[in-house]
Amino acid sequence: MKKPANDTVMTNPLDLFTEEIIHAILDHLNDEPFSKKSFSLCCKSFYFIESRHRKSLTPLRSELLHRAFHRYPSISRLNLTLCPRVNDATLASVAATWRATLLSINLSRSRDFSGIGLRVLSGSCSGLVEIDVSNGTELTDTAAKAIAEAKNLEKLRMARCKLISDIGIGCIAVGCKKLKVLCLRWCLRVTDLGVGLVAVKCKQLRSLDLSCLPITEKCLPPILQLQHLEDLVLEGCLGIDDDGLVSLKHSCSSLKMLNLSKCQNVSHVGLSSLTNGADNLEQLVLSYGPSVTTDLGKCILNYSRLKSIRLDGCLVTCSGTKAIGSWCASLRELSLSKCTGVTDECLSFLVQAHRQLLKLNITCCRKITSVAIDCITKSCTFLTSLRMESCSLVSKDAFLLIGQCCQFLEELDVTDNEIDDEGLMSISRCSKLCSLKLGVCLNITDEGLMHVGSGCRKLKELDLYRSLGVTDVGIAKIAQGCPDLEMINIAYNNKITDSSLTSLSECLRLKILELRGCLCVSTVGLSAVARGCRQLALLDIKKCVNINDNGMLALGQFCHNLRQINLSYCSVTDVGLLSLANTNRLQNMTILHLTGLSPNGLAAALLACGGLTKVKLHTSLKPLLPKYIFEYMEGRGCVFHWRDKAFQVEIDPKGWQLHVGRSPEG
């Protein structure tokens, strides 16, 4: 049968896009890896253009790198933090593939490479400007000498390279004269000699981190003569004291940030000498250092451009804060977290003097009351961040003032306070709020959360840890009103059921979900989350005893971005644990007291989850697993942490200290 004469051959409409248009689309997808992958699979031309367009790469495992060598010819930034084992041969292949394009490489979580691989990398990639080998505890001066061959290097981070000495640092100082950023934090063999060489040879340094080094004031004169130095970190340098600092004859007029936290032998006397002539100083960090006295306050008065002061953990006197308050310039950031001696009187004086404050941290200032909050809200109406965890003497009425007066807030932490629903209704006026922490707030209920859900539509982080008045109704309003939610913690809330999880499944951007100790949630709710929240990266379901293998099967099928999971005390067996291997990206797993788990099932799951870097297990399992499992896993870069915890019947044995970030235990 003949085709009609007016018929035309159909073409793919996607072929009409020019490369420039496709590049513009890909640029908008940089923060959406799954979307970029889907885009590249639309057609062959998109696949080809995406492979040429990609400039940055973060491989899930080192064995996947060989695929990237063939597909992505133009990589300039290579992040290997998900690859615990990177040997010299791999670095040689990287150098051979991207010698003309590579600008930056991050090896801060990798091991197994040495100076041999670094020499090939530095020698071949002439455009390399940034290297991060932090945590390279086995790297020696030979490795430092290899890095020194990267003549165009501008940024070098070597934190915790504890075997590298002045010899290696001297090689870097001579070879990398274009350095602008250098971090030597916890490089315990580097002394005044090595630091002095860096300061003499690397004249373009902008940022220098010497935290916890065994240095004294002897290395400071050449540092202070660096004409472009802006950031200097001397945290925990106990060899630096007042006696040495008063002898300094040089000043650094370009300095903008100085960190002297935990320098317990430096008082206002040494600070004054060190910063003499630092007219451009904008940020000063003295946390866990000298007492805030009148003399220290007067010393700070000399810095006319100072915008930020951090005094966390310091002993504060009223006369000292009044001296700071007498300063004519206006601070933008003030941190007094865990400072003893902070009272209503001194805090009120401070905020009245610095009305342009944008960030204020008064965490654990347990002597302040509603009087100080009243003064803060009336004086600092432009606050974007207020952190006031555990200010237990502040009454519930004070929180009404926050919403009434501080409507530019983007971050608010009122953990462990007396805030109630009326306070939340007031705070819901803060339409710019992105982070709200309400952990251990026992007076709030669903009514308050309804106001938050309707007023704070930009909310991304919500912490409701152990806020026992919250139920499914409140969570539903949050999920409905805050579509951009990325993190929620509802751990140890016994009124939360699967209904809450079904509501949260509509939050498509959710990445972190804390459900620890929620006894009423089950596999049904978790499966709904798995289907809806495909970007989920961290999940804590410890003591969710009604979650079983079907929940793990759903995670394995839908949550391919899952990186960390705690499923201790759950009803998961060998089948469920093995199904997690389908997530592909799982790195960190905590498995304590899974009664349905057998040694053979655990061994199979460990072998199947190829990207694991950290596994926390009960010590009773150690003799039951074959030795080759440990050898194979450790050879792949996985670290085992063994715990000898007895089975805990209690829901919350440590009280609210179990809140995420407060306890390292699983």
Side-chain angles (χ1 to χ4, degrees):
M1 183 175 179
K2 293 184 178 180
K3 294 173 64 177
N6 59 350
D7 275 8
T8 57
V9 178
M10 294 299 294
T11 60
N12 186 346
L14 299 178
D15 291 337
L16 299 177
F17 291 142
T18 64
E19 281 199 24
E20 290 76 13
I21 293 176
I22 297 175
H23 285 176
I25 295 172
L26 289 169
D27 287 338
H28 283 286
L29 296 178
N30 279 336
D31 296 329
E32 302 286 348
F34 291 109
S35 298
K36 182 176 283 190
K37 181 178 180 180
S38 298
F39 182 88
S40 69
L41 296 177
C42 287
C43 60
K44 290 182 178 180
S45 61
F46 279 18
Y47 184 89
F48 176 81
I49 294 173
E50 191 274 334
S51 68
R52 267 63 185 164
H53 174 271
R54 183 182 287 272
K55 298 296 186 292
S56 61
L57 183 67
T58 306
L60 297 179
R61 296 186 292 277
S62 54
E63 56 265 29
L64 300 178
L65 259 176
H66 72 280
R67 301 181 189 175
F69 293 152
H70 299 290
R71 181 175 176 187
Y72 302 113
S74 306
I75 297 299
S76 60
R77 300 189 177 279
L78 181 60
N79 184 346
L80 296 174
T81 53
L82 302 182
C83 304
R85 297 290 188 188
V86 177
N87 56 33
D88 292 333
T90 301
L91 290 185
S93 298
V94 167
T97 304
W98 297 308
R99 67 168 67 237
T101 60
L102 194 64
L103 300 176
S104 170
I105 186 168
N106 189 336
L107 293 159
S108 61
R109 299 291 179 184
S110 306
R111 291 177 289 168
D112 277 3
F113 62 91
S114 68
I116 297 173
L118 289 173
R119 181 176 293 106
V120 175
L121 189 71
S122 300
S124 302
C125 303
S126 58
L128 204 57
V129 295
E130 182 176 7
I131 296 178
D132 190 342
V133 290
S134 298
N135 304 305
T137 54
E138 297 178 358
L139 295 180
T140 64
D141 288 333
T142 303
K145 186 177 179 181
I147 292 173
E149 295 184 19
K151 304 299 181 183
N152 292 311
L153 203 61
E154 296 180 2
K155 297 180 180 180
L156 176 59
R157 293 177 176 86
M158 305 179 69
R160 296 181 183 83
C161 292
K162 298 182 180 182
L163 297 182
I164 292 178
S165 70
D166 292 334
I167 297 173
I169 296 302
C171 293
I172 290 172
V174 173
C176 305
K177 295 183 179 180
K178 294 183 180 180
L179 272 180
K180 295 180 180 179
V181 176
L182 178 61
C183 176
L184 298 175
R185 186 182 185 91
W186 281 103
C187 293
L188 300 180
R189 295 192 179 186
V190 177
T191 68
D192 290 327
L193 177 60
V195 174
L197 282 171
V198 168
V200 169
K201 296 293 184 180
C202 304
K203 296 295 187 182
Q204 298 184 41
L205 273 174
R206 264 77 167 168
S207 176
L208 184 59
D209 188 344
L210 305 174
S211 299
C212 305
L213 265 59
I215 56 174
T216 68
E217 74 285 347
K218 293 179 181 179
C219 67
L220 293 179
I223 291 176
L224 297 179
Q225 293 180 64
L226 291 167
Q227 297 181 4
H228 305 288
L229 188 66
E230 296 180 355
D231 299 345
L232 178 59
V233 183
L234 299 171
E235 178 182 348
C237 293
L238 302 181
I240 297 177
D241 56 25
D242 286 343
D243 293 338
L245 292 178
V246 294
S247 63
L248 294 176
K249 298 179 181 179
H250 300 89
S251 61
C252 186
S253 59
S254 61
L255 199 63
K256 292 184 179 181
M257 189 280 288
L258 176 63
N259 187 338
L260 286 171
S261 57
K262 300 179 183 178
C263 289
Q264 300 170 355
N265 299 319
V266 177
S267 69
H268 69 279
V269 177
L271 176 63
S272 180
S273 299
L274 181 59
T275 57
N276 181 35
D279 299 328
N280 293 305
L281 196 65
E282 296 179 358
Q283 183 178 359
L284 182 61
V285 184
L286 299 174
S287 303
Y288 301 97
S291 299
V292 183
T293 61
T294 304
D295 290 329
L296 182 65
K298 290 180 178 178
C299 176
I300 293 175
L301 296 180
N302 296 323
Y303 317 131
S304 60
R305 298 188 180 184
L306 198 63
K307 302 297 181 185
S308 172
I309 302 178
R310 295 188 59 180
L311 301 169
D312 305 333
C314 293
L315 173 63
V316 173
T317 66
C318 195
S319 59
T321 53
K322 286 186 176 180
I324 296 174
S326 301
W327 183 42
C328 59
S330 185
L331 291 171
R332 297 294 187 271
E333 180 178 2
L334 176 63
S335 186
L336 300 169
S337 173
K338 300 180 182 178
C339 286
T340 54
V342 176
T343 63
D344 288 337
E345 180 185 1
C346 64
L347 186 55
S348 297
F349 190 85
L350 271 175
V351 297
Q352 286 175 332
H354 299 284
R355 293 176 177 269
Q356 300 301 313
L357 268 179
L358 299 177
K359 296 182 179 182
L360 177 63
N361 188 345
I362 49 174
T363 297
C364 295
C365 290
R366 302 183 187 278
K367 294 182 179 180
I368 67 169
T369 68
S370 302
V371 174
I373 303 302
D374 179 61
C375 197
I376 289 169
T377 54
K378 289 180 179 177
S379 303
C380 306
T381 56
F382 295 102
L383 277 177
T384 60
S385 174
L386 176 59
R387 302 174 65 181
M388 50 177 294
E389 177 183 343
S390 298
C391 294
S392 52
L393 296 182
V394 176
S395 68
K396 61 183 181 180
D397 295 333
F399 297 98
L400 298 174
L401 301 174
I402 295 176
Q404 292 170 5
C405 303
C406 303
Q407 295 184 15
F408 293 98
L409 278 174
E410 298 174 8
E411 176 188 22
L412 178 62
D413 185 351
V414 290
T415 302
D416 191 24
N417 275 291
E418 295 299 316
I419 188 172
D420 61 7
D421 290 336
E422 288 189 44
L424 285 184
M425 181 171 64
S426 179
I427 286 169
S428 68
R429 300 179 185 179
C430 304
S431 59
K432 298 179 182 293
L433 205 62
C434 295
S435 175
L436 178 59
K437 295 186 177 181
L438 300 168
V440 205
C441 292
L442 304 181
N443 299 323
I444 65 173
T445 68
D446 295 332
E447 182 181 348
L449 290 186
M450 290 180 189
H451 294 294
V452 172
S454 61
C456 306
R457 299 188 65 83
K458 294 183 178 180
L459 201 65
K460 293 184 177 181
E461 298 181 5
L462 179 61
D463 186 348
L464 294 168
Y465 174 90
R466 211 169 180 242
S467 294
L468 302 180
V470 174
T471 74
D472 295 332
V473 176
I475 300 301
K477 291 297 181 181
I478 291 295
Q480 181 182 357
C482 307
D484 293 332
L485 197 68
E486 295 180 1
M487 175 270 181
I488 187 167
N489 185 345
I490 46 179
Y492 292 111
N493 287 316
N494 53 18
K495 297 176 184 177
I496 297 298
T497 72
D498 287 334
S499 179
S500 287
L501 301 191
T502 302
S503 299
L504 289 172
S505 68
E506 301 296 325
C507 299
L508 304 185
R509 296 180 180 273
L510 194 66
K511 297 177 181 177
I512 299 175
L513 179 58
E514 302 267 351
L515 296 171
R516 179 180 297 201
C518 292
L519 298 181
C520 296
V521 301
S522 73
T523 291
V524 175
L526 183 61
S527 297
V529 168
R531 286 190 295 270
C533 307
R534 306 288 180 97
Q535 296 188 34
L536 195 66
L538 186 151
L539 177 64
D540 189 342
I541 50 175
K542 179 179 179 180
K543 294 191 176 179
C544 295
V545 294
N546 293 317
I547 291 179
N548 57 30
D549 290 342
N550 290 331
M552 300 303 102
L553 290 169
L555 291 174
Q557 183 177 357
F558 299 110
C559 295
H560 293 168
N561 198 44
L562 190 65
R563 305 199 177 195
Q564 180 175 333
I565 187 170
N566 186 340
L567 38 82
S568 301
Y569 296 88
C570 292
S571 301
V572 176
T573 69
D574 299 346
V575 175
L577 194 63
L578 189 59
S579 67
L580 290 177
N582 295 325
T583 61
N584 295 326
R585 300 191 176 197
L586 193 62
Q587 298 174 297
N588 191 325
M589 187 160 54
T590 300
I591 313 168
L592 298 175
H593 298 294
L594 290 188
T595 55
L597 187 65
S598 71
N600 289 337
L602 175 59
L606 292 176
L607 293 175
C609 296
L612 285 174
T613 59
K614 180 180 177 181
V615 179
K616 195 177 294 184
L617 297 169
H618 196 272
T619 51
S620 61
L621 292 170
K622 195 171 185 178
L624 303 179
L625 293 171
K627 290 185 179 180
Y628 75 86
I629 293 290
F630 302 120
E631 295 173 356
Y632 175 77
M633 294 293 292
E634 290 169 356
R636 205 166 60 184
C638 183
V639 177
F640 287 91
H641 294 262
W642 300 98
R643 296 290 182 267
D644 192 18
K645 283 186 174 182
F647 189 92
Q648 297 174 347
V649 179
E650 308 98 315
I651 297 301
D652 196 357
K654 295 186 179 178
W656 65 284
Q657 293 298 322
L658 278 175
H659 175 46
V660 61
R662 293 190 180 113
S663 174
E665 297 296 326

